[in-house]
Amino acid sequence: MPTQKFPGRYESLERIATFIRAEAETTQLSHSDVFAVETAVDEAVSNIIEHAYHGEESGDIICTCITNPEGITVTLEDTGRPFDPHNIPEPNLNVPLMDRSEHGLGIYMMRKWMDEVRYEFENGTNRVIMVKRIKKQAG
């Protein structure tokens, strides 16, 4: 179970993406699904830096990847401000871009890119758990 700790800074995004890509590529995920995992993690990490830590230099992000024949599970942990995604309304995509709320689209997209996205808060630690499953081939 590979785990790495990264400083909660935007400059860590590239190193995190490299770590995630390397782990995802050990699975049978398609190239587009590997990209989806990488993109969802990038969004989640950006949210941690911006919202949980209120900017850079406030804490670390621990990233754990579990791969198996079914796919990949990525867990991101931080010790920033607690977060409850149920308080973020789903974005209204039927209104013009300029009229949309500036919050909630990232979580919406993470849920679209991944097969499962869960949030937990326990003992001062936020945990985002994202799962991407390998699509079974028909036949």
Side-chain angles (χ1 to χ4, degrees):
M1 176 168 57
T3 298
Q4 287 192 21
K5 184 191 303 187
F6 299 93
R9 296 192 301 258
Y10 292 110
E11 68 184 32
S12 296
L13 288 171
E14 186 175 340
R15 288 181 44 229
I16 293 170
T18 299
F19 172 65
I20 294 299
R21 187 179 325 107
E23 292 302 315
E25 287 176 346
T26 68
T27 70
Q28 296 298 313
L29 288 169
S30 68
H31 292 295
S32 62
D33 283 347
V34 169
F35 181 74
V37 172
E38 192 178 331
T39 305
V41 170
D42 186 84
E43 179 63 31
V45 169
S46 295
N47 284 345
I48 291 168
I49 295 166
E50 181 178 351
H51 300 294
Y53 286 144
H54 299 287
E56 300 184 301
E57 305 295 338
S58 296
D60 293 322
I61 299 167
I62 298 172
C63 183
T64 302
C65 294
I66 300 172
T67 58
N68 58 45
E70 285 79 45
I72 187 170
T73 300
V74 177
T75 302
L76 301 171
E77 295 178 314
D78 69 79
T79 56
R81 187 179 73 170
F83 174 71
D84 183 354
H86 297 101
N87 292 334
I88 306 293
E90 201 161 295
N92 182 352
L93 302 179
N94 296 318
V95 297
L97 185 61
M98 296 304 292
D99 296 334
R100 290 186 194 159
S101 169
E102 57 188 67
H103 299 291
L105 191 58
I107 293 169
Y108 172 82
M109 295 306 298
M110 287 165 49
R111 289 179 174 145
K112 291 296 180 189
W113 290 319
M114 301 299 285
D115 294 309
E116 188 178 331
V117 179
R118 297 188 319 270
Y119 298 86
E120 300 172 355
F121 181 77
E122 184 179 9
N123 299 324
T125 299
N126 288 300
R127 199 169 287 113
V128 180
I129 301 128
M130 296 181 284
V131 177
K132 187 66 171 176
R133 293 181 192 90
I134 297 167
K135 293 176 181 61
K136 303 297 181 200
Q137 298 294 326

